[in-house]
């Protein structure tokens, strides 16, 4: 059906134009009809990014690298592919090369490279007061913290290559947010940290649901995080739910978007009941609010993304 396929392709190219202002071609370049579309168009440190690529030929596979991360692209329609990526908070503003490698049905490799501009996001600074045990833990508490770190290292190093998430991500609770991602925090006037998640203003025992489809890889109490759930959405993307009063899922359990994972609370290092949602991608924390805003394709209707 060539007529139907032409429409989304043409629209994809038209929408691409403003993005190209941010993406100057650089280095070796082969293939004339590549197009890379970025959502959101302004890429900042700490934010997830959806990359939509139109390749010059019909490909069997498409992979890429960007800032040391491996990108696995999923096919959508025709010559269109997409991948979810992200920029760490620590990334300095600048231009970073995106290298793409496609393989055609006959085994031929097609390469493309262009730079993507990363600009600086503005994140606020706040002062907080918490119990002393969280800024000056006892030797016993330090043991627990060390054990947690080893467990988290193990959990975070697991990457299931297949995509489990499908469609856009949805909020874990229906509530206002209090503390945004990226806030620089000073605990008790001394300890400094950066808020690597998004806080929701919820009272105790509010049902908390999974933001998308995935597998529960951690559901247990931790020292700072309190009762904590980690869901693996595939391709290195994890969501974390902290300070829960009660866990409603078990490790190894499959969940869908909206599956209850626990009840909100104030366990761990928390100034009061709230939900801390974090999003981790290939070793870096990303802004959950930005992920929730991304229009993402559904696994069952792959054309959704190119329709824009
Ligand atoms: Zn938080």
């Amino acid at each position: 059906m060539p007529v139907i396929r032409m429409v989304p392709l043409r629209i994809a190219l038209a929408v691409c134009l403003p993005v190209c202002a941010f993406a100057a071609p650089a280095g070796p370049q082969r293939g004339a009809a590549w197009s890379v579309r970025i959502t959101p168009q302004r890429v900042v440190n700490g934010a997830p990014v959806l990359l939509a690529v139109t390749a010059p030929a019909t490909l069997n596979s498409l992979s890429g690298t960007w800032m040391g991360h491996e990108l696995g692209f999923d096919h959508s329609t025709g010559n269109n592919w997409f991948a979810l990526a992200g920029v760490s908070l620590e990334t300095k503003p600048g231009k970073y090369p995106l290298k793409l490698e496609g393989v055609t049905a006959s085994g031929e490799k097609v390469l493309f490279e262009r730079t993507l501009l990363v600009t600086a996001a503005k994140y606020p600074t706040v002062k907080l007061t918490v119990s002393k045990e969280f800024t000056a833990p006892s030797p016993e508490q330090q043991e627990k913290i060390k054990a947690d770190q080893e467990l988290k290292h193990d959990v975070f190093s697991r990457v299931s290559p297949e995509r489990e998430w499908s469609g856009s991500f949805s909020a874990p609770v229906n509530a206002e947010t209090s503390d945004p991602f990226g806030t620089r925090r000073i605990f008790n006037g001394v300890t400094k940290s950066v808020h690597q998640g998004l806080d929701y203003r919820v009272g105790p025992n509010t049902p908390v649901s999974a933001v998308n489809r995935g597998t529960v890889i951690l559901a247990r109490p931790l020292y700072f995080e309190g009762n904590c759930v980690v869901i693996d959405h595939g391709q290195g993307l994890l969501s974390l739910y902290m300070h829960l009063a009660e866990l409603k899922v078990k490790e190894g359990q499959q969940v869908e978007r909206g599956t209850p994972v626990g009840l909100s609370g104030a366990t761990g290092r928390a100034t009061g009941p709230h939900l801390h949602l974090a999003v981790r991608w290939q070793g870096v924390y990303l802004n959950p609010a930005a992920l929730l805003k991304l229009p993402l394709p559904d696994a069952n209707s792959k054309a959704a993304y190119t329709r824009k």
Side-chain angles (χ1 to χ4, degrees):
M1 303 284 280
V3 176
I4 290 173
R5 271 173 58 178
M6 274 307 286
V7 175
L9 273 177
R10 235 197 244 146
I11 292 170
L13 288 170
V15 175
C16 168
L17 284 175
V19 175
C20 297
F22 290 94
Q29 192 174 319
R30 285 201 277 151
W34 286 92
S35 132
V36 178
R37 187 151 57 111
I38 313 153
T39 309
Q41 289 187 7
R42 183 172 172 248
V43 181
V44 297
N45 61 317
V49 179
L50 178 65
L51 300 171
V53 171
T54 302
T58 303
L59 302 177
N60 271 6
S61 69
L62 178 66
S63 61
T65 56
W66 190 42
M67 297 193 290
H69 294 282
E70 301 286 331
L71 306 177
F73 283 81
D74 283 308
H75 183 239
S76 62
T77 55
N79 292 346
N80 300 304
W81 298 76
F82 66 89
L84 203 50
V87 185
S88 78
L89 260 174
E90 297 75 29
T91 301
K92 300 272 179 283
K95 288 176 178 175
Y96 294 88
L98 168 70
K99 294 179 183 179
L100 301 176
E101 181 179 316
V103 180
T104 65
S106 59
E108 192 202 345
K109 278 187 186 174
V110 283
L111 305 173
F112 184 70
E113 181 176 329
R114 87 176 340 159
T115 56
L116 301 182
L117 179 69
V118 175
T119 57
K122 281 191 179 125
Y123 296 114
T125 300
V126 296
K127 289 177 181 172
L128 294 170
T129 305
V130 293
S131 306
K132 208 181 158 199
E133 73 217 55
F134 292 115
T135 55
S138 69
E140 206 174 81
Q141 289 160 338
Q142 285 175 28
E143 281 290 300
K144 168 73 177 141
I145 292 165
K146 192 163 169 274
D148 283 0
Q149 277 168 348
E150 281 164 18
L151 175 68
K152 282 188 282 183
H153 178 78
D154 176 47
V155 165
F156 291 159
S157 63
R158 281 185 244 162
V159 175
S160 44
E162 293 303 313
R163 176 165 67 103
E164 285 198 62
W165 62 269
S166 170
S168 296
F169 285 67
S170 56
V173 288
N174 184 13
E176 284 185 16
T177 56
S178 48
D179 193 8
F181 171 87
T183 311
R184 275 168 244 282
R185 301 161 132 196
I186 302 169
F187 287 101
N188 302 352
V190 281
T191 309
K192 288 172 190 171
S193 74
V194 174
H195 191 222
Q196 294 183 311
L198 171 65
D199 287 351
Y200 285 88
R201 208 185 292 270
V202 285
N205 300 315
T206 304
V208 172
S209 55
V211 293
N212 209 315
R213 181 193 294 169
T215 304
V216 176
I217 54 170
L218 184 141
R220 62 176 76 185
L222 301 174
Y223 187 76
F224 287 117
E225 295 82 355
N227 288 318
C228 180
V229 170
V230 179
I231 298 174
D232 180 0
H233 301 288
Q235 298 175 329
L237 188 71
L238 311 175
S239 62
L240 297 82
Y241 312 76
M242 298 181 191
H243 312 305
L244 300 171
E246 205 177 300
L247 300 168
K248 293 285 188 189
V249 284
K250 291 199 162 59
E251 291 170 7
Q253 188 179 331
Q254 305 278 317
V255 292
E256 295 294 327
R257 183 195 297 111
T259 301
V261 299
L263 300 177
S264 63
T267 55
R269 183 168 71 180
T271 51
H274 73 284
L275 172 69
H276 174 105
L277 171 70
V279 169
R280 210 177 145 91
W281 176 74
Q282 294 193 8
V284 300
Y285 283 100
L286 301 177
N287 186 350
L291 180 66
L292 295 173
K293 275 190 211 152
L294 278 185
L296 297 170
D298 194 281
N300 300 318
S301 59
K302 287 182 166 183
Y305 186 66
T306 52
R307 232 188 273 137
K308 234 181 142 185

